[in-house]
């Protein structure tokens, strides 16, 4: 099978898997990460476009958050899929590494990417977690988990272990302070930093307005 056919088959596979997903991990998210990854790859040196596309398409195929905390579920599912298509072992290994390394694990937990393709896919994934779409996804996720929008009595926590981050069940607004506002500083590629600037500012403006309305400061 040539590379084009492998991508086409993978698009169909992932699309079918995510069609009815309502937690913010839907096909539209995968599609945005795929397209953003391609754009970032074209502006970043030494990035293999085929590995990048496969990594982007498969990056959420079995997320630990939805698989009882099993961090190997994603890399394993990607490997099984690529093996079923007869993809070269060397390529499969590079895709597996991207998926293993991509997740955010708490503010105090470094998550370096060991390959340039991984840096691009992680940047694209994180760009989709900020800005207007990022805001919508955070509240969709919080709603899916039955969490309140905000509770001023519950302070944000800078999780310094993956265990503590995993167990977190705080109101959704805390997620902005525990993760989303910090993603801009953690991007790898200059191309992603350019996109992040406006999205970050939009999130800050949203939070300012949210808290004003919460306190009723704009009423009267
Ligand atoms: P990423 O794709 O950046 O690794 P995740 O897979 O951790 O992000 O999360 C997917 C989406 O769900 C993101 O938009 C993220 O902000 C959101 N999300 C994850 N955890 C929470 C949470 N505790 N509260 C609100 N939103 C969350
Ligand atoms: Ni994702």
């Amino acid at each position: 099978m040539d590379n084009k056919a492998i991508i086409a088959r993978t698009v169909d596979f992932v699309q079918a898997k995510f069609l009815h997903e309502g937690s913010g991990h839907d096909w539209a998210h995968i599609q945005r990460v795929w397209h953003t990854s391609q754009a970032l790859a074209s502006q970043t040196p030494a990035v293999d476009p085929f590995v990048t596309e496969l990594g982007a398409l498969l990056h959420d195929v079995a997320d630990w958050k939805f698989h009882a905390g099993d961090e190997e579920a994603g890399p394993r599912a990607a490997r099984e899929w690529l093996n079923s298509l007869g993809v070269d072992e060397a390529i499969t290994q590079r895709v597996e590494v991207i998926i293993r390394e991509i997740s955010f694990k708490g503010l105090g937990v470094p998550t370096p990417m060991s390959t340039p393709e991984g840096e691009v896919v992680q940047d694209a994934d994180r760009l989709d977690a900020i800005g207007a779409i990022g805001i919508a996804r955070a509240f969709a996720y919080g709603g899916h988990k039955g969490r309140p929008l905000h509770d001023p009595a519950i302070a944000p926590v800078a999780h310094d272990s993956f265990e503590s981050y995993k167990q977190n069940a705080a109101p959704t607004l805390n997620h902005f302070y525990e993760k989303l506002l910090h993603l801009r500083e953690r991007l790898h590629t200059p191309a992603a930093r350019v996109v992040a600037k406006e999205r970050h500012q939009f999130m800050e403006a949203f939070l300012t307005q949210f808290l004003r309305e919460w306190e009723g400061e704009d009423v009267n």
Side-chain angles (χ1 to χ4, degrees):
M1 209 182 296
D2 64 13
N3 288 358
K4 224 175 137 199
I6 291 167
I7 296 292
R9 290 283 300 274
T10 303
V11 166
D12 288 347
F13 169 69
V14 176
Q15 194 168 8
K17 228 179 165 65
F18 282 87
L19 217 49
H20 302 291
E21 171 61 61
S23 67
H25 267 89
D26 49 12
W27 166 242
H29 164 65
I30 307 299
Q31 208 171 20
R32 287 190 300 269
V33 172
W34 178 32
H35 291 152
T36 304
S37 294
Q38 286 175 294
L40 298 179
S42 73
Q43 298 171 67
T44 307
V47 175
D48 181 311
F50 183 54
V51 170
T52 302
E53 282 193 68
L54 288 176
L57 285 167
L58 293 167
H59 83 275
D60 275 335
V61 76
D63 195 298
W64 59 265
K65 285 190 291 315
F66 302 96
H67 284 82
D70 178 1
E71 292 164 53
E72 276 301 301
R76 198 166 53 234
R79 161 168 294 279
E80 280 167 16
W81 170 249
L82 296 173
N83 284 348
S84 79
L85 296 181
V87 171
D88 287 353
E89 173 58 24
I91 299 281
T92 300
Q93 267 179 25
R94 289 165 73 188
V95 174
E96 219 183 350
V97 166
I98 295 177
I99 299 165
R100 186 170 293 121
E101 295 178 342
I102 195 167
S103 262
F104 185 85
K105 298 187 170 75
L107 201 51
V109 187
T111 46
M113 299 303 276
S114 62
T115 65
E117 292 81 14
E119 292 189 338
V120 159
V121 179
Q122 189 183 63
D123 279 3
D125 194 27
R126 290 180 168 182
L127 285 176
D128 209 52
I130 63 175
I133 298 267
I135 294 168
R137 292 180 69 220
F139 287 103
Y141 183 92
H144 180 76
K145 297 275 184 183
R147 295 180 190 158
L149 304 181
H150 176 43
D151 183 345
I154 302 177
V157 176
H159 299 282
D160 58 5
S161 79
F162 191 23
E163 276 315 305
S164 137
Y165 180 70
K166 271 194 222 181
Q167 282 159 19
N168 159 57
T172 301
L173 209 75
N174 290 25
H175 192 61
F176 289 82
Y177 302 95
E178 295 179 356
K179 173 184 174 187
L180 305 182
L181 289 171
H182 301 276
L183 292 180
R184 183 179 61 165
E185 304 142 24
R186 291 176 166 226
L187 296 170
H188 308 280
T189 64
R193 287 176 183 272
V194 171
V195 181
K197 192 167 186 274
E198 193 182 346
R199 295 189 184 191
H200 185 91
Q201 285 168 356
F202 187 85
M203 244 175 0
E204 284 188 326
F206 165 80
L207 290 167
T208 303
Q209 181 67 8
F210 182 103
L211 293 169
R212 276 183 74 217
E213 292 179 22
W214 187 273
E215 300 296 340
E217 284 169 8
D218 61 335
V219 179
N220 300 327

